[in-house]
Amino acid sequence: MSKIREWLKQNAELVPSSHGNEWVTKSRGDYITLEGMEDKLDYLVEHGIAENVSSIWEAGKPICIGFNPEEGKWYGWSHRAICGFGVGSKCERGMCHYRPVDKDDFLQECIRFWTEEYHQNIRAEHRGDHVYVEWEYSGATPNEKIRGHISGVKCPYPSEFGKGEWEAKTLADARQMAIDFADDVA
């Protein structure tokens, strides 16, 4: 029996759905994968994620966090990325799991996010329920037609602000970092 099959036997059950049979967690029915796509779960075995696998959203949604008891790390993931966090893990500005502490910190994060090689004269301001970020396309922009043009984007404030830069002192802190990471890369 493959390691994936062993993992599923311990942690999941196969249930019928409108898309065919799907694997869900035994604990609360969080979605894992469709039957026939089990090989896509290699990351769980590779990272030793064997406990507390669940969704960060309501029951039945896709799994995106889990615990590796041997490493003492919580992992967060999506289809795009996976990262583990333990006691001593840090959260710094620019990391996926960074959560601004207030509206001004959020404005600075919006500027950081939209700062890139082809943007110049970047500015941002608070406008009602969002930050508006604006930039001019630089002369290095590959699309010559938009060079010198102004563009912008509305960045809605998050429903909750976070801790900013911090360090995980407990496994509960590490779990929160995994949740924040999974939420950001989802």
Side-chain angles (χ1 to χ4, degrees):
M1 180 183 286
S2 75
K3 289 183 179 184
I4 296 298
R5 293 283 179 188
E6 289 175 33
W7 188 92
L8 287 168
K9 186 176 178 182
Q10 292 173 359
N11 297 285
E13 59 188 353
L14 200 56
V15 298
S17 77
S18 59
H19 305 305
N21 292 330
E22 62 186 28
W23 290 100
V24 299
T25 60
K26 289 180 180 177
S27 59
R28 44 173 232 175
D30 293 335
Y31 174 80
I32 300 172
T33 194
L34 288 171
E35 183 178 34
M37 297 184 68
E38 294 86 355
D39 60 326
K40 303 293 184 201
L41 301 175
D42 285 344
Y43 66 95
L44 294 171
V45 173
E46 288 170 13
H47 293 285
I49 300 167
E51 296 179 3
N52 300 307
V53 175
S54 69
S55 173
I56 59 173
W57 303 286
E58 66 267 11
K61 296 294 184 183
I63 59 169
C64 56
I65 64 166
F67 187 69
N68 176 322
E70 290 181 19
E71 291 181 340
K73 283 187 176 180
W74 278 94
Y75 281 83
W77 66 84
S78 79
H79 62 291
R80 297 187 299 168
I82 186 168
C83 192
F85 303 91
V87 173
S89 291
K90 296 190 186 312
C91 178
E92 297 172 348
R93 186 176 299 282
M95 293 179 159
C96 286
H97 58 294
Y98 181 84
R99 296 288 176 265
V101 296
D102 58 24
K103 289 181 177 182
D104 290 330
D105 192 21
F106 180 73
L107 182 141
Q108 292 305 313
E109 275 299 286
C110 292
I111 291 171
R112 183 201 58 74
F113 182 83
W114 289 99
T115 297
E116 62 169 81
E117 176 183 1
Y118 304 121
H119 295 172
Q120 63 187 22
N121 301 321
I122 300 163
R123 54 201 163 274
E125 64 181 32
H126 298 286
R127 291 188 182 172
D129 63 350
H130 66 277
V131 167
Y132 186 75
V133 183
E134 189 175 81
W135 61 86
E136 177 184 348
Y137 286 102
S138 73
T141 303
N143 183 345
E144 294 178 17
K145 292 179 183 176
I146 64 171
R147 290 179 182 166
H149 286 249
I150 306 292
S151 190
V153 65
K154 287 172 61 172
C155 303
Y157 292 122
S159 57
E160 292 180 7
F161 289 100
K163 297 180 180 184
E165 293 187 335
W166 62 291
E167 181 178 334
K169 304 281 188 206
T170 66
L171 283 177
D173 289 346
R175 182 178 186 274
Q176 186 60 52
M177 284 185 178
I179 288 169
D180 292 343
F181 180 87
D183 190 43
D184 192 65
V185 297

